[in-house]
Amino acid sequence: MTQPPRSIATPCTKVCIVDGATSLCLGCYRTLGEIGGWSGLSDDQRAEVMADLPRRRADNEPAGLTASRALGPQPS
């Protein structure tokens, strides 16, 4: 017997607004390429993207976005 298709974990929040400066969706913080190719990514590739989303969100929240653009690159 074959197994039913496995659902693909997605961070989609159904709030699709793409920031022109970063090319990130401000709902899920994925790139348009990641969104469009999501179903074709391996579990490991999706896990890598998912692991990076908190950093992307922190880097692009309104206060951080304004400060980082005004001040330029920040030291690590």
Side-chain angles (χ1 to χ4, degrees), residues 28-29 49-61:
C28 67
Y29 293 94
V49 172
M50 295 288 281
D52 194 39
L53 296 180
R55 180 199 58 80
R56 295 179 189 183
R57 182 180 180 131
D59 288 351
N60 292 289
E61 286 184 349

Side-chain angles (χ1 to χ4, degrees), residues 17-56:
I17 303 168
V18 177
D19 176 59
T22 64
S23 297
L24 293 175
C25 172
L26 298 179
C28 67
Y29 293 94
R30 292 180 293 169
T31 66
L32 290 177
E34 289 166 345
I35 293 167
W38 193 252
S39 63
L41 296 179
S42 69
D43 287 343
D44 288 340
Q45 290 169 315
R46 287 193 302 268
E48 285 178 28
V49 172
M50 295 288 281
D52 194 39
L53 296 180
R55 180 199 58 80
R56 295 179 189 183

